[in-house]
Amino acid sequence: MDVPMCTRCGRRPANYYRVSSGEKLCLNCLFRSIEDTVLRTIRKYRLISDDDRIGIAISGGKDSLTLMYLLGKFRRQGKIPRNVELIAFSINEGHPYSCFYRMARVDYVQKLSEEFNIPYRVYTFKELFGVTATDIAHGLWSKGINVHMCTIDGVLRRRAMNIIGRQLGLTKIATGHNLDDESQTVLLNVLSNDLDRFAWFGPRPEIDREGFIPRIKPLRFVREEEIALYAYYHGIPLMELECPFVYSNPRYELKFTLAHWERDNPNVKFSLVSFGDSLANLMGEKAVNVPLKRCKYCGEPTSGDVCRVCELMSRAGLLERYLNHLRTLKLMDTQSPS
Amino acid sequence: MDVPMCTRCGRRPANYYRVSSGEKLCLNCLFRSIEDTVLRTIRKYRLISDDDRIGIAISGGKDSLTLMYLLGKFRRQGKIPRNVELIAFSINEGHPYSCFYRMARVDYVQKLSEEFNIPYRVYTFKELFGVTATDIAHGLWSKGINVHMCTIDGVLRRRAMNIIGRQLGLTKIATGHNLDDESQTVLLNVLSNDLDRFAWFGPRPEIDREGFIPRIKPLRFVREEEIALYAYYHGIPLMELECPFVYSNPRYELKFTLAHWERDNPNVKFSLVSFGDSLANLMGEKAVNVPLKRCKYCGEPTSGDVCRVCELMSRAGLLERYLNHLRTLKLMDTQSPS
């Protein structure tokens, strides 16, 4: 049987068929192309500049680990400024599944940390908020309020990143969102008729809004399957156990819908992300003109009167406990300014 | 077995379960609710006013026939102004399938026409453009250019409506688009990353742009299945034969995707249409500021240099024949101004 040769180098046998371009690639050219895409994304959208202090949010999955690996590698190679500070951190939400993932990978993160000289620290919801995600879930569920565990995690994790960012003096936080994540987000926002949420979409959202640390997503134009291949062949561990909450997460179904649509339209994910970006531009202009308020409970920036964290805490009957925790933290901060 | 009673009247046994609201309805309350929805749409968006001369575009399907029936009934009942002029018309694209549909239903349209005093006329692509949809398809396909028959029909039908509208002095053209059509359109525009196209979406698009007859869609908040039930029980004929082009139309798959999503989110179609409307508002403001150009071949209004009709004609090798036809028509118009 004739093995087709790589469309790019023409020298090595092809190992991967890229549906979006019709190219057949050898692993070498595939990996180079992935790195090129990430670098082009960083340069085109100016995600990283000279004096940046960038936090890398490590969930423990292949995407965030690949992100840490790539940013470390790029800095060592001088492809991003050598004086950029990289600091990796994880957030432990405090339910057995999140713990399992994070902790099971700490050895590999430590390895990357030493190899690329990227300090690494784990934070917990418990220390940041005084309660775990499980506490909140139980508080809500015991009142018959159905909020998905992923929603609780998501709302608190976004806040946690801002707190950590301010504590560490970060100028940006890089996350491992890939093309599949991003296209799912667009579709979800469309299906839930959430036009406003597009204001925070795009390759470089939340720029320069007080109290928010800008997020950057260097992997957002790379397909999940390509990151998985990159990770596998670079010794980056893949998840061995799926999160039990994944099956009831609305993204789970969209994953298959998108895969199905791809058969007829190989560029559908890129198309969705481009649509989201155009809309982000349009909405971003509008959003900048809306003055941010301060949450009447915790004082964090919010578009309404109460931020989503305090809303969740309040519905779960944990608002007082949370606010007390914040007061204690503030006291600690005042006594030991670092 | 206990038959559940109608959620609205509580007097008659329920015949229909409305997933979007959770209501169980008897046929009486279902039909009243459908008529109420259409009337509310007409009033809320001011689709019809006193001195309107409204064309009803009849494809021959249940939706356009129901639209004709309802507008006729509403006018007779005085629910829309009694002095509104209603004029129904069909467009024969000139391929065997379109003909079949249209012609097979002419008897019923004639019946409605007499019952509600709505004049009715059939136009053909041949008389309007000098060529049939089949001529264009053969022209394109023989050059290996794959354009779907539904695209050809759609592009020419939209133009045909403007020409007919100007000939008949219409102030608006009503089409039978239902909630399912509209939600599919939103999803299609999103998937093909076509932000601009939203400028012409919404319940009352293309208002007051020179050369365009405004379209109104009174049925756009009614689900297709409810229109089908309404039609069935009101003696309005349903399609007996599906169009053979339907299976390769991109909408065909979206139909099932949406039906599938509805199991988890019964309001997904409404949600999509609302999203489209918000976006239409946003884009509408922008579009109004973009001056319309004139097509350099036919002179019709267009956003680019060449309109989509002339683009198709040109690719099919039929541009000269089409322009000659236009010249002849113009001559005829000059000789016999009506």
Side-chain angles (χ1 to χ4, degrees):
Chain A
M1 199 182 78
D2 265 0
V3 177
M5 298 306 273
C6 173
T7 321
R8 295 219 172 173
C9 67
R11 289 184 291 121
R12 284 174 294 261
N15 279 295
Y16 177 72
Y17 176 64
R18 182 176 270 169
V19 288
S20 57
S21 65
E23 290 170 301
K24 296 180 186 75
L25 300 172
C26 69
L27 288 182
N28 243 46
C29 289
L30 171 65
F31 298 153
R32 184 174 307 174
S33 144
I34 291 172
E35 293 183 4
D36 284 352
T37 300
V38 177
L39 265 177
R40 250 198 330 273
T41 306
I42 291 174
R43 287 174 186 162
K44 181 173 174 195
Y45 299 99
R46 289 192 223 101
L47 301 189
I48 298 178
S49 41
D50 248 352
D51 40 7
D52 266 335
R53 188 174 158 87
I54 295 178
I56 307 172
I58 302 293
S59 71
K62 64 183 181 316
D63 304 293
S64 59
L65 296 177
T66 300
L67 176 67
M68 183 172 175
Y69 175 89
L70 281 174
L71 290 183
K73 187 176 170 188
F74 288 163
R75 183 173 66 173
R76 177 190 284 165
Q77 294 174 335
K79 290 181 176 169
I80 61 174
R82 285 208 174 79
N83 66 346
V84 158
E85 282 184 82
L86 298 173
I87 301 160
F89 64 86
S90 292
I91 299 166
N92 182 338
E93 292 94 348
H95 47 78
Y97 314 109
S98 59
C99 287
F100 174 84
Y101 293 138
R102 313 298 183 268
M103 299 314 127
R105 282 164 211 305
V106 159
D107 60 328
Y108 182 73
V109 186
Q110 296 292 6
K111 181 177 163 294
L112 286 185
S113 173
E114 282 158 34
E115 185 177 345
F116 293 116
N117 191 24
I118 302 175
Y120 174 64
R121 211 201 122 167
V122 178
Y123 294 81
T124 66
F125 273 4
K126 185 81 182 169
E127 64 179 297
L128 293 168
F129 302 109
V131 295
T132 67
T134 314
D135 293 334
I136 300 174
H138 288 172
L140 291 166
W141 299 348
S142 67
K143 296 178 179 180
I145 304 170
N146 279 320
V147 177
H148 199 281
M149 185 61 105
C150 300
T151 305
I152 300 172
D153 281 354
V155 168
L156 269 72
R157 211 157 41 212
R158 280 191 292 276
R159 169 66 51 80
M161 284 200 239
N162 284 324
I163 299 174
I164 295 167
R166 293 195 299 249
Q167 273 185 14
L168 297 177
L170 302 176
T171 55
K172 281 159 195 161
I173 292 175
T175 60
H177 292 94
N178 59 42
L179 183 69
D180 294 62
D181 299 323
E182 293 283 273
S183 56
Q184 287 161 23
T185 300
V186 173
L187 210 46
L188 265 179
N189 290 352
V190 169
L191 291 179
S192 54
N193 184 16
D194 207 339
L195 200 54
D196 291 337
R197 200 170 279 217
F198 280 100
W200 285 267
F201 193 71
R204 198 184 159 171
E206 292 180 36
I207 292 294
D208 296 336
R209 297 208 77 182
E210 194 199 346
F212 287 115
I213 312 295
R215 307 293 154 82
I216 58 174
K217 304 171 193 166
L219 306 186
R220 81 193 289 267
F221 293 112
V222 186
R223 298 157 65 85
E224 178 166 19
E225 71 189 46
E226 299 193 3
I227 295 177
L229 277 170
Y230 188 95
Y232 180 78
Y233 283 100
H234 284 77
I236 298 167
L238 299 174
M239 287 286 188
E240 273 147 34
L241 218 101
E242 279 219 307
C243 173
F245 293 117
V246 80
Y247 304 104
S248 52
N249 186 316
R251 285 175 182 265
Y252 187 71
E253 266 226 48
L254 291 188
K255 211 181 173 84
F256 297 102
T257 304
L258 279 168
H260 184 75
W261 282 343
E262 249 186 354
R263 287 193 318 190
D264 293 324
N265 178 359
N267 279 303
V268 69
K269 290 175 190 167
F270 288 101
S271 200
L272 277 169
V273 171
S274 302
F275 177 83
D277 287 356
S278 310
L279 203 43
N281 259 331
L282 214 66
M283 295 304 297
E285 295 167 22
K286 286 187 98 105
V288 170
N289 298 323
V290 178
L292 273 185
K293 297 179 192 170
R294 295 275 159 191
C295 171
K296 68 175 179 182
Y297 296 119
C298 69
E300 289 278 340
T302 167
S303 50
D305 288 329
V306 177
C307 72
R308 284 203 71 195
V309 172
C310 285
E311 187 199 317
L312 271 183
M313 295 287 186
S314 160
R315 295 175 76 196
L318 295 166
L319 185 61
E320 265 319 302
R321 191 163 142 198
Y322 166 58
L323 293 175
N324 278 334
H325 179 76
L326 286 188
R327 278 177 215 118
T328 318
L329 278 188
K330 209 169 181 180
L331 207 66
M332 282 166 56
D333 271 358
T334 325
Q335 289 179 334
S336 58
S338 60
Chain B
M1 199 181 79
D2 265 359
V3 177
M5 299 307 274
C6 171
T7 322
R8 294 218 172 175
C9 67
R11 287 185 293 122
R12 285 174 293 262
N15 279 296
Y16 177 72
Y17 176 64
R18 182 176 270 168
V19 289
S20 56
S21 65
E23 289 170 301
K24 296 179 186 76
L25 299 172
C26 68
L27 289 182
N28 242 46
C29 289
L30 171 65
F31 298 153
R32 184 174 308 173
S33 144
I34 291 172
E35 294 184 4
D36 284 351
T37 300
V38 177
L39 265 178
R40 251 200 328 273
T41 306
I42 291 174
R43 288 173 186 165
K44 181 173 173 192
Y45 298 100
R46 287 192 224 102
L47 300 189
I48 298 178
S49 41
D50 248 353
D51 40 7
D52 266 335
R53 189 174 158 87
I54 295 178
I56 307 171
I58 302 294
S59 71
K62 64 184 181 315
D63 303 293
S64 59
L65 296 178
T66 301
L67 175 67
M68 183 172 175
Y69 175 88
L70 281 175
L71 290 183
K73 187 177 170 187
F74 288 163
R75 183 174 65 174
R76 176 190 285 166
Q77 295 176 331
K79 289 181 175 169
I80 61 173
R82 286 209 173 81
N83 66 347
V84 158
E85 281 184 83
L86 298 174
I87 302 159
F89 64 87
S90 292
I91 300 167
N92 183 338
E93 292 94 347
H95 47 79
Y97 313 108
S98 59
C99 288
F100 175 84
Y101 294 138
R102 312 300 183 268
M103 299 313 127
R105 280 163 213 305
V106 159
D107 60 328
Y108 183 74
V109 186
Q110 296 292 7
K111 181 177 162 295
L112 285 186
S113 174
E114 283 157 34
E115 186 178 343
F116 294 115
N117 192 24
I118 302 176
Y120 173 65
R121 211 201 122 167
V122 178
Y123 294 82
T124 66
F125 274 5
K126 187 80 183 169
E127 63 178 298
L128 293 167
F129 302 109
V131 295
T132 66
T134 314
D135 293 334
I136 301 174
H138 287 172
L140 291 165
W141 300 347
S142 68
K143 296 178 178 180
I145 304 170
N146 279 319
V147 177
H148 199 281
M149 185 59 105
C150 300
T151 305
I152 300 172
D153 280 354
V155 168
L156 270 74
R157 212 157 40 210
R158 279 190 293 275
R159 170 66 50 80
M161 284 200 240
N162 284 324
I163 300 173
I164 295 167
R166 294 194 299 251
Q167 275 185 14
L168 297 177
L170 302 177
T171 54
K172 281 158 196 160
I173 291 174
T175 60
H177 291 94
N178 59 41
L179 183 69
D180 294 61
D181 298 325
E182 293 283 272
S183 57
Q184 288 161 23
T185 300
V186 173
L187 210 47
L188 264 179
N189 290 352
V190 168
L191 291 179
S192 54
N193 185 15
D194 206 339
L195 200 54
D196 291 337
R197 199 169 280 216
F198 280 100
W200 285 270
F201 192 71
R204 199 184 158 171
E206 292 180 36
I207 292 295
D208 297 335
R209 296 208 78 180
E210 194 198 347
F212 286 115
I213 313 294
R215 307 294 155 82
I216 58 175
K217 304 170 192 164
L219 306 186
R220 80 193 290 265
F221 293 112
V222 186
R223 299 158 66 85
E224 180 167 17
E225 69 188 48
E226 300 193 2
I227 296 177
L229 277 171
Y230 188 96
Y232 180 78
Y233 283 101
H234 285 77
I236 299 167
L238 299 175
M239 289 285 189
E240 274 147 34
L241 218 102
E242 278 220 308
C243 173
F245 292 118
V246 79
Y247 304 104
S248 52
N249 185 316
R251 284 175 183 266
Y252 188 70
E253 265 226 47
L254 291 189
K255 211 180 172 83
F256 297 102
T257 305
L258 279 169
H260 184 74
W261 282 343
E262 249 186 353
R263 287 193 318 189
D264 294 324
N265 178 359
N267 280 303
V268 69
K269 291 175 188 166
F270 288 100
S271 199
L272 278 169
V273 171
S274 302
F275 178 83
D277 287 355
S278 309
L279 204 43
N281 259 331
L282 215 67
M283 295 304 295
E285 296 166 23
K286 287 186 96 106
V288 170
N289 299 322
V290 178
L292 273 185
K293 296 179 192 171
R294 295 273 158 192
C295 172
K296 69 176 180 183
Y297 297 118
C298 70
E300 289 277 342
T302 167
S303 51
D305 288 330
V306 177
C307 72
R308 285 202 72 194
V309 173
C310 285
E311 187 199 318
L312 271 182
M313 295 287 186
S314 161
R315 296 175 76 196
L318 294 167
L319 185 61
E320 266 318 304
R321 190 162 141 200
Y322 166 59
L323 293 175
N324 278 333
H325 179 76
L326 286 188
R327 279 178 214 116
T328 318
L329 278 189
K330 209 168 178 178
L331 208 66
M332 281 167 58
D333 271 356
T334 325
Q335 290 180 333
S336 59
S338 58

